[in-house]
Amino acid sequence: MTSRHRLVVFAAGASCAAAITALVFASTPSASAQRIGAAAPAQAAAPTQSTSSIIPRPPIGRPKSSGVRANIVAASPWTPLTNPPPFGTPGTMLLESDGTVLVHNEPDNNTTGGTTDWWKLTPDSQGNYADGTWSQIASMPAGYTPLYFGSAILPDGRMIVEGGEYIGENAVWSSEGAIYNPLTNSWKQVAPPPGWTNIGDSASEVLPDGTFMLQHPCNTCLTNPDNTVDDALLNPRTLTWRVIPGLGKNDPNDEEGWTLLHSGQLLTIDTWVPGQTQLFSPRTQSWTFDGNTAATGNPLDPWPVVEIGPQVEMPDGNVFVPGAGSSTQAPPAACTTDVPTQTALYQSGTWTAGPQIPAIGGEEFDSTDGPGATLPDGDVLFDASACVYNTPTHFYLYNESSNAITQIADVPNAPNDTSYATRMLVLPNGQILFNDGSNQMLVYTAGGTPNPAWAPTITHLSATKLAPGGTYALSGTQLAGLDQGATYGDDVQNSTNFPLVRITNNATGAVTYARTSNWTSVSIAPGTRSATEFTVPAGTPAGPSTLVVVANGIASAPSTVTIH
């Protein structure tokens, strides 16, 4: 979300795309800070960079309430948590491999940007998150208080956090990182990739083989900004990095999000060369051109805003991208832009225009950084707010079969919400956990049902008599699902394309999640074969039970087991 404090402004302004033609690469894969540099012969000159615009925009704190009434209906799909979060401001949320939810305390809307605090939401005995309970986990390393950062759950079950656009209330584009071990309830610091002085609000992704990949948006961001194109791959055992140059990358990484496709490649929409898109191949570790978005399907709000909405993949492998609009009106300026917002569709490698998000009450509504989530029935849930970071926010469903957007009921706090402050997370029971930085968190319940072909399958279970504390193995197909769950413009990553194991007692209906680890793949390609280990927790009720694998809220057919 760098444009809220625009890190680099190209002097060429909105026409800078034509000038971004020369990329300078080092000769070895270990080189870092590959950046836009001097032009090669017969190419346009590289854009001039300026540090004069390094200003947090908007400053920490909520924009003024819109004062409009929320669109509340009697049979609302939104249900507030019975137990509100007992801490300041819920922010980034990740689903752990034991079925609990880890939530970062991010008082962006109060007095400071981030904290060292994380909390855990545990579902009740029936697997209900709306009635779940809270407990605090260990704090991050002292002084590491990030806001807007890269994050993921790794195949061994640990959670990694990298960078931070803010540390506390200060915009510093931190190079810090840390990894959380849920077994020991402890954090360990992670050194930055070699040569990286900044990480900031980087995008990140777990590649199909389980490798964590981190984006490098800028180097020496505060003193002499270089917008860069390189990335880094993490060795999870040694917590060391290998930097890879951005071979073939058209433009800087800054403000770009990634989507893992069925092909195993990463899709990105270029934010500094409007209209262009690219694919990253893990096999060749290089980028290639992947076509232009449609003329009437541009999801990017270009310079000087440079923001994009979530790239939401659906189970068939197609991608829907709610647009970031065209307005430049950010708080305290009022939203007076009165135009619909374009959206984009990526279908079988071709870009087309999606349905437009209509203006409401004379205001453009868009996802200028914001979340989206794929529901178990394949629809996409997303929100959109007025102009650039303004209020209010409204909520929508996109249905691919009808290629239509439908406005749905608002959350109660919608008049005070702006899209960048909201978060979504796909839960194992198929609901969507939502927060907007207020003390009221909610779950969204979809009305449809998944296509049976989207479900994981269990083809082998190492044992059917299971003991609490024991670790077992299973294998099957589509254990990571066919999409990534929830996504966000570029500042939040909380993918759920990995296997969970849920055990339900036949007599009582009690639900227990067995922690999974050592996933052999997180590929979302249809029919992918993979395996995982799972550990039955102490206290799992004894007796005949069923066991299912769950990915993105869709469960496999049950296997019969006995807990003894």
Side-chain angles (χ1 to χ4, degrees):
M1 178 171 309
T2 307
S3 85
R4 293 202 308 281
H5 43 70
R6 190 69 258 150
L7 171 64
V8 175
V9 172
F10 292 138
S15 64
C16 70
I20 305 180
T21 57
L23 296 180
V24 177
F25 300 113
S27 59
T28 65
S30 61
S32 83
Q34 309 309 309
R35 63 183 181 86
I36 299 298
Q43 290 182 311
T48 303
Q49 300 180 6
S50 167
T51 62
S52 62
S53 60
I54 303 178
I55 302 170
R57 177 174 170 266
I60 290 175
R62 275 193 180 276
K64 183 179 178 181
S65 174
S66 65
V68 303
R69 296 185 64 179
N71 175 31
I72 303 295
V73 298
S76 175
W78 300 100
T79 303
L81 299 190
T82 301
N83 299 305
F87 53 95
T89 308
T92 296
M93 309 179 289
L94 288 93
L95 179 67
E96 252 294 359
S97 67
D98 62 359
T100 60
V101 177
L102 302 181
V103 183
H104 190 216
N105 184 14
E106 298 175 359
D108 182 27
N109 305 312
N110 297 321
T111 58
T112 187
T115 72
T116 60
D117 297 341
W118 286 80
W119 290 72
K120 179 167 66 175
L121 176 65
T122 302
D124 71 6
S125 62
Q126 302 298 303
N128 189 343
Y129 288 84
D131 292 329
T133 55
W134 293 95
S135 58
Q136 189 170 8
I137 67 171
S139 296
M140 302 180 81
Y144 186 30
T145 58
L147 177 67
Y148 311 129
F149 46 79
S151 58
I153 301 298
L154 301 181
D156 60 12
R158 292 181 295 174
M159 176 177 68
I160 188 166
V161 173
E162 282 294 321
E165 185 173 339
Y166 291 84
I167 293 295
E169 68 275 13
N170 300 310
V172 298
W173 296 273
S174 173
S175 64
E176 295 183 78
I179 192 164
Y180 174 72
N181 187 334
L183 297 180
T184 60
N185 188 31
S186 62
W187 291 85
K188 184 175 182 179
Q189 289 182 309
V190 179
W196 290 21
T197 61
N198 301 92
I199 295 174
D201 56 338
S202 299
S204 64
E205 190 65 76
V206 179
L207 300 177
D209 66 357
T211 301
F212 179 73
M213 179 170 164
L214 183 67
Q215 176 196 81
H216 193 202
C218 62
N219 219 34
T220 58
C221 302
L222 295 177
T223 55
N224 183 28
D226 286 333
N227 269 16
T228 56
V229 296
D230 58 352
D231 305 298
L233 304 177
L234 178 70
N235 182 322
R237 292 180 296 277
T238 62
L239 297 184
T240 56
W241 300 91
R242 181 169 65 88
V243 175
I244 55 175
L247 295 174
K249 192 70 173 65
N250 282 340
D251 72 331
N253 290 327
D254 187 33
E255 294 304 300
E256 294 182 354
W258 291 340
T259 301
L260 177 65
L261 300 178
H262 283 185
S263 65
Q265 298 170 297
L266 300 183
L267 172 69
T268 193
I269 297 173
D270 291 348
T271 54
W272 293 101
V273 185
Q276 292 194 11
T277 69
Q278 291 190 273
L279 290 175
F280 174 82
S281 168
R283 182 180 62 84
T284 64
Q285 296 185 356
S286 63
W287 294 88
T288 55
F289 176 67
D290 196 39
N292 292 311
T293 55
T296 57
N298 174 26
L300 174 70
D301 193 343
W303 188 92
V305 174
V306 194
E307 291 284 24
I308 197 165
Q311 299 171 189
V312 190
E313 188 167 19
M314 296 167 286
D316 61 4
N318 296 331
V319 180
F320 171 65
V321 189
S326 58
S327 176
T328 60
Q329 294 167 324
C335 177
T336 60
T337 304
D338 184 8
V339 295
T341 293
Q342 297 179 10
T343 70
L345 287 172
Y346 181 78
Q347 298 171 305
S348 303
T350 300
W351 288 97
T352 58
Q356 295 185 334
I357 305 170
I360 300 175
E363 295 180 325
E364 172 187 275
F365 275 78
D366 54 59
S367 182
T368 311
D369 259 339
T374 304
L375 304 178
D377 64 5
D379 285 355
V380 173
L381 173 69
F382 68 98
D383 61 23
S385 55
C387 288
V388 183
Y389 320 130
N390 265 296
T391 60
T393 292
H394 293 305
F395 294 79
Y396 304 85
L397 287 179
Y398 170 72
N399 178 271
E400 186 177 20
S401 61
S402 63
N403 192 30
I405 291 172
T406 303
Q407 187 178 351
I408 64 169
D410 287 339
V411 301
N413 201 42
N416 308 311
D417 283 341
T418 183
S419 64
Y420 82 83
T422 62
R423 308 284 188 272
M424 295 179 185
L425 177 70
V426 177
L427 296 173
N429 62 3
Q431 293 177 317
I432 307 300
L433 185 62
F434 173 84
N435 84 61
D436 58 6
S438 72
N439 191 247
Q440 185 180 71
M441 293 178 64
L442 305 99
V443 293
Y444 175 88
T445 304
T449 57
N451 184 327
W454 300 342
T457 65
I458 299 173
T459 58
H460 175 74
L461 189 59
S462 64
T464 57
K465 293 183 178 180
L466 311 176
T471 297
Y472 307 91
L474 65 80
S475 56
T477 62
Q478 297 178 185
L479 301 186
L482 297 178
D483 59 75
Q484 294 192 279
T487 185
Y488 186 96
D490 74 294
D491 296 285
V492 178
Q493 298 98 52
N494 56 359
S495 298
T496 50
N497 56 306
F498 53 82
L500 296 182
V501 169
R502 183 170 66 213
I503 300 169
T504 304
N505 185 273
N506 291 350
T508 65
V511 170
T512 304
Y513 285 95
R515 179 181 182 271
T516 62
S517 59
N518 298 321
W519 321 320
T520 60
S521 175
V522 295
S523 169
I524 55 175
T528 296
R529 295 184 177 275
S530 64
T532 184
E533 296 178 356
F534 65 95
T535 301
V536 180
T540 301
S545 305
T546 59
L547 180 150
V548 298
V549 171
V550 182
N552 299 321
I554 302 176
S556 69
S559 296
T560 299
V561 297
T562 301
I563 309 299
H564 62 89

